[in-house]
Amino acid sequence: MFLAQQLGGEVVNADSMQLYRGMDIGTAKLTPEERGGVPHHLLDIWDVTEAASVAEYQRLARAEIDRLLAEGRTPVLVGGSGLYVRGAVDALEFPGTDPEVRARLEAELEERGSGVLHARLAAADPEAARAILPSNGRRIVRALEVIEITGKPFTANLPGHESVYDTVQIGVDVARPELDERIATRVDRMWEAGLVDEVRALEALGLREGRTASRALGYQQVLAALVGECTEDEARAETVRATKRFARRQDSWFRRDPRVHWLSGAADHRGELPREALSLVERAVTA
C-alpha cells in the first residue's frame, strides 16, 4: 500500500485464491476500506466453481499491467502464488491441454489415487515430482498431461529468469519461529472473523464442487468439518499445519529466483520495511 501510494501506483493481485468471489476471510483479502483509496485489480473475478487457469491469469494480468503503464501508473504486483507472479512478468508460455489425455489421467487418479501417479511422475520428471506434493492430484495430472502432450519434462516448460517487464522484486523475510507464530495467530483470527460461516455460504454456491477453490487453505479443512470428517478444532489445527507447510514451499520457490531482494519483515524491523522497499525501487529507477 505504501509503495502504491508513493509511486502513484495501483495494485494488481497475484494471489490465486483472492481471484475468487466471496473467499475473503480465509485469504485475508483487504476490505475496500483497508485499500486506502488505492485501486486494486484482479480481485473477485471468478466464481468458486471455476477451475484456476494460470494461462488465463497471465492474459488478464498483462492486460492490467500494460494498461497501467500506458497511463503512466506504476503496477504493484502483490501476492504469494509463485507461478502466477512468474506468469505475469516472465517469458512463460503455457502448453495447451488435451481433453482426452486429461480425462484419462483424471479417471486414473480417481481409481488408483495420487500416489501411483506421483510415482510415475517421479520416473518421468524427478525434479517436478520433488516440487509437487504426492497428495496434490490436480498438479500431478497437469504435469503428466504436459509431459504426454509435449514429449518433454514438465519442468522444461517452466520459465527461466527472463522478464518481459523491467521489475523490482521484493521478498519479505520472516524467521521461521516468528512466522509460525504469526500463522497460528492469523488462523485464530480467521475463525473469530467467521470463516466457518463464510465457507458454509460458499458451499451453497458450489464451493465443494470447485476443483481449485475447494482446496484452498482453510476452506478445504472447514469443508471436511462440515461433513463430519473432523471436528472444527481439528480443522483449525490442520489449517495451521497446512499453512506452515505451504509457507515453506513458498519460501523455497522464491529463494530460487536470484532477482528477489529480501528485506526483513520481523516485528522489530517492520517500521523500517516500507522505506527500505521504496529505496530499492528508487535505486532501480535512477540506475
Side-chain angles (χ1 to χ4, degrees), residues 14 48 78 85 99 148 150-151 154 157 162 215 246 256 261-262:
V48 293
V78 182
V85 173
E148 188 165 335
T150 66
F154 179 67
N157 293 282
E162 180 186 347
R215 295 182 173 91
F246 180 70
R256 290 195 294 268
H261 300 272
W262 290 96

Side-chain angles (χ1 to χ4, degrees), residues 46-283:
W46 290 340
D47 291 331
V48 293
T49 53
E50 189 163 342
S53 164
V54 186
E56 173 64 6
Y57 171 78
Q58 180 188 63
R59 184 186 68 79
L60 295 169
R62 289 189 178 177
E64 291 292 347
I65 291 169
D66 292 343
R67 179 184 62 79
L68 290 169
L69 291 173
E71 294 174 0
R73 306 285 286 171
T74 300
V76 182
L77 192 70
V78 182
S81 299
L83 192 56
Y84 282 60
V85 173
R86 300 290 295 279
V89 303
D90 284 349
L92 171 59
E93 295 182 8
F94 293 97
T97 64
D98 184 315
E100 290 185 9
V101 173
R102 172 70 64 90
R104 172 165 44 78
L105 289 168
E106 287 181 342
E108 189 174 350
L109 174 67
E110 185 72 24
E111 181 181 342
R112 307 183 67 188
S114 61
V116 172
L117 268 65
H118 191 267
R120 188 190 307 166
L121 178 62
D125 188 346
E127 189 176 344
R130 284 193 292 272
I132 300 174
L133 290 176
S135 59
N136 195 332
R138 182 176 60 87
R139 287 196 64 199
I140 295 168
V141 164
R142 175 56 177 159
L144 289 171
E145 179 191 24
V146 169
I147 291 169
E148 188 165 335
I149 290 171
T150 66
K152 297 186 293 186
F154 179 67
T155 46
N157 293 282
L158 295 178
H161 298 124
E162 180 186 347
S163 180
V164 297
Y165 299 103
D166 290 330
T167 63
V168 178
Q169 300 190 34
I170 300 171
V172 181
D173 187 26
V174 180
R176 193 54 44 76
E178 181 183 344
L179 182 61
D180 285 350
E181 184 178 327
R182 285 168 62 175
I183 287 170
T185 299
R186 172 182 165 172
V187 171
D188 285 343
R189 287 176 179 162
M190 284 161 43
W191 246 261
E192 291 161 9
L195 177 63
V196 175
D197 288 338
E198 178 173 281
V199 174
R200 191 177 284 115
L202 290 171
E203 185 181 22
L205 298 175
L207 174 63
R208 195 174 291 278
E209 289 72 47
R211 285 171 49 198
T212 307
S214 65
R215 295 182 173 91
L217 291 167
Y219 296 87
Q220 179 179 2
Q221 288 76 19
V222 173
L223 284 171
L226 289 178
V227 293
E229 293 177 5
C230 62
T231 66
E232 211 176 287
D233 285 344
E234 288 169 340
R236 185 191 299 217
E238 178 53 32
T239 300
V240 172
R241 285 192 292 269
T243 305
K244 289 178 180 178
R245 291 194 298 269
F246 180 70
R248 285 160 173 74
R249 295 202 303 277
Q250 273 184 316
D251 188 72
S252 296
W253 173 281
F254 288 107
R255 294 280 175 190
R256 290 195 294 268
D257 192 332
R259 299 168 298 179
V260 176
H261 300 272
W262 290 96
L263 298 177
S264 174
D268 60 1
H269 194 84
R270 210 171 304 157
E272 302 167 46
L273 180 59
R275 287 290 170 189
E276 289 181 349
L278 182 61
S279 176
L280 278 174
V281 177
E282 290 176 336
R283 204 180 311 150

